Amino acid sequence: MPDTTLAELAHEVRSKNAGPFWVTMELFLRDADGYRIAADESFLNERVVASLYRVDEETIQIFRIPSLNVVKISFPRPVSQGSLRDRDMHAGQHHVPLARMVIPPAVS
């Protein structure tokens, strides 16, 4: 049986700029069960996000919004928007590692 990913639990997983210095990613989960998995702090937490995106764990903000079945994650951009080393000016591809996270059987 193939592994289930966060993308499969969601209507949409997206990322975008939150100003020129921050990235925000949003998981819009299909239902309360998907939200329960994505919001589980033992599965998705600052340490995990820091590892995925190579950013300092202390700079990550995670917002869990159960009334909307949404998990929102924000952290400083590694380089400011539009700078010479910026490879994704709109932060439109940052969500991919998050979306591909496999749900471990213990969490589902």
Side-chain angles (χ1 to χ4, degrees), residues 43-79:
F43 168 61
L44 184 57
N45 55 50
E46 291 81 359
R47 181 183 46 77
V48 170
V49 174
S51 176
L52 278 177
Y53 292 96
R54 298 183 187 109
V55 295
D56 291 330
E57 186 175 333
E58 298 78 31
T59 65
I60 297 165
Q61 298 176 0
I62 300 178
F63 305 92
R64 293 169 176 88
I65 310 166
S67 61
L68 299 174
N69 291 334
V70 170
V71 176
K72 182 174 181 172
I73 301 166
S74 296
F75 56 83
R77 289 176 58 102
V79 297

Side-chain angles (χ1 to χ4, degrees), residues 9-12 26-36 38-39 63-72:
L9 300 180
H11 283 292
E12 184 174 9
E26 297 160 326
L27 291 158
F28 295 90
L29 288 309
R30 294 183 187 280
D31 54 31
D33 288 334
Y35 174 80
R36 178 187 51 78
F63 305 92
R64 293 169 176 88
I65 310 166
S67 61
L68 299 174
N69 291 334
V70 170
V71 176
K72 182 174 181 172

